[in-house]
Amino acid sequence: MLSRTPLSAGLLRPLTNPASSYAAARGLLRVRGLATEAKPYDVVVIGGGPGGYVAAIKAAQLGFKTACIDKRGPPGGTCLNVGCIPSKAMLNNSHIYHQTLHDTKDRGIDVGDVKLNLPQMLAAKENSVNTLTSGIETYLFKKYGVDYLKGAAAFESANKINVALNDGGETQLDAKNVIIATGSEVTPFPGLEIDEERIVSSTGALSLKEVPKKMIVIGGGVIGLELGSVWARLGAEVTVVEFQNAIGAGMDAEVAKTFQRILGKQGFKFKLSTKVVGGQREGDIVKLKVDSAKGGKEEELEADVVLVAIGRRPYTQGLGLEKIGVEVDNKGRIVIDDQFNTSVPGVKCIGDATFGPMLAHKAEEEGIAAAEILKTGHGHVDYGAIPSVVYTHPEVAWVGKNEQELKADGVNFSVGKYPFAANSRAKTNQDQEGFVKFLTEKDTNTILGVHIIGPGAGELIAEGTLALSCLRNDLARVCHAHPTLSEATKEAALSTYDKPINF
């Protein structure tokens, strides 16, 4: 079984004839105009992000001849190159800087003149990225025999993939099975042209050459709050403009309210129930026009940098999906069934390019499951136990249902809470804001949701995720948030009976 909890009602639906097929004709390998006979692959993965590279490694571990294609060059996708990993490096180092400035005296640590060396902080971020991406390419892929092609892939047919190589020339691969794992891209904001200098996406926000005096973040979700935190700690005045009446989409309402209060104490300003109706760059200043979401008096805001963080959308451009007949919905998501099959036999899809939360660890679980389905006919992803983490300080993490959802579903539930102010380790660390909150079904005491705001929430949520998945009692199969230290536990458990992915 793929899951005991559906990803979302009505999103996944069976497709006709999902069995894999393979064209008997062998393709031609074309590199720089030369033609030779191509050797067919059992599995070709398009996309080298967390879903794609993990799927490729797992397929190779299962004995499939496997290739992985990615046009970025360095593997790891958005997550390792311009997302999860560099943002966590900046969050960690900016927190150390801020803590050194404001939180050492009471701990008995006298610090002299503290200065920000932003170029060095950015270099440290890049070093983390390069170490991890090169490890995938030079060690993991080579260890497991995955052929890695740097270039743009496009379907010639369901079983033939053309690759325009980054260093020139082209090649064509024959594939018995294809897994699409092309991920997602930043959702643009109508009327605001992202130049990655003054009007930036998450990519540009990770590489600003100076700390802005004022930053406006459009969108009060995970990405906006994390990157807003980085620059707020480094000295920027940050204002979050959010269309909804609360920050943190998907969070438990009580947690979101507490989170906003704590961020306010850190200097964040919030304009909730507010929509951006226009804006433009004028030299080194960006001017935005905002209005109440319910209608009202228009207001103009100014900032040195505006971060557009309203979400992400599937990225499938240039694949030629229409050429082979892969079905997509009106939001650009590739339609799949419960075995990751698209409408075209032999072509599967995982990760951000299809339905579900756009999370690296969700894509990883799907990559493993898709490879296992090709080998054995069955795989495992528990969509009811996919954790989410906001890596601010304090961290926020949750898994399962929140109070709003349970009330809307008419569930009779109980609430259990414990404040970090009563936790001895939190007290000794002088880091005691927040709480842990459990939601259980009242009659059976079945755990329905776990919500944490406080120190180390991203690590602690692994136990909550395990609790939701405990019917299987298999730690290696429990989805762990990425990137967290708890992933080491998952990989160690996996190595007791199988091969770890990232070592």
Side-chain angles (χ1 to χ4, degrees), residues 89-110:
M90 291 297 288
L91 281 160
N92 183 64
N93 293 336
S94 64
H95 176 62
I96 293 173
Y97 170 75
H98 188 267
Q99 190 174 41
T100 305
L101 279 177
H102 303 288
D103 192 28
T104 58
K105 186 176 181 179
D106 290 342
R107 299 174 185 272
I109 305 171
D110 293 328

Side-chain angles (χ1 to χ4, degrees), residues 314-330:
Y315 181 80
T316 58
Q317 288 90 323
L319 283 179
L321 300 181
E322 66 287 345
K323 184 174 185 177
I324 64 170
V326 171
E327 182 184 357
V328 298
D329 73 354
N330 60 1

Side-chain angles (χ1 to χ4, degrees), residues 104-178:
T104 58
K105 186 176 181 179
D106 290 342
R107 299 174 185 272
I109 305 171
D110 293 328
V111 179
D113 190 21
V114 179
K115 295 181 180 179
L116 172 65
N117 185 337
L118 184 57
Q120 182 57 41
M121 187 176 286
L122 294 173
K125 173 205 67 174
E126 289 303 315
N127 182 60
S128 299
V129 169
N130 294 336
T131 299
L132 288 168
T133 57
S134 64
I136 296 170
E137 181 178 355
T138 62
Y139 181 71
L140 293 175
F141 278 167
K142 287 184 178 180
K143 175 179 176 63
Y144 292 110
V146 176
D147 291 338
Y148 183 52
L149 286 78
K150 300 177 182 181
F155 285 99
E156 176 66 27
S157 67
N159 304 111
K160 292 186 183 297
I161 311 297
N162 294 327
V163 185
L165 299 170
N166 290 352
D167 60 357
E170 62 181 25
T171 187
Q172 186 180 84
L173 305 183
D174 277 8
K176 297 178 183 178
N177 300 280
V178 179

Side-chain angles (χ1 to χ4, degrees), residues 12 28 79 85 135 148 183 191 239 267 297 383 404 420 423 445 503:
L12 300 177
L28 291 179
C79 177
I85 298 305
Y148 183 52
T239 300
K297 186 178 179 180
Y383 289 105
Q404 308 93 278
F420 282 105
N423 177 269
N445 205 32
F503 182 71

Side-chain angles (χ1 to χ4, degrees), residues 7 9 42 58 74 108 191 273-274 280 306 341 345 358 394 404 453:
L7 183 60
D42 299 310
K58 176 51 68 174
S273 301
T274 301
Q280 60 184 3
V306 170
N341 296 307
M358 290 184 170
Q404 308 93 278
I453 177 170

Side-chain angles (χ1 to χ4, degrees), residues 189 217-221 240-251 256 260 270-276 291-294 309-310 404:
F189 194 94
V217 179
I218 303 177
V240 176
V241 179
E242 169 57 48
F243 183 78
Q244 302 298 328
N245 63 359
I247 63 171
M251 283 184 196
Q260 183 182 337
F270 295 94
K271 286 187 171 292
L272 305 182
S273 301
T274 301
K275 61 182 177 181
V276 177
D291 197 355
S292 168
K294 299 178 181 178
I310 59 172
Q404 308 93 278

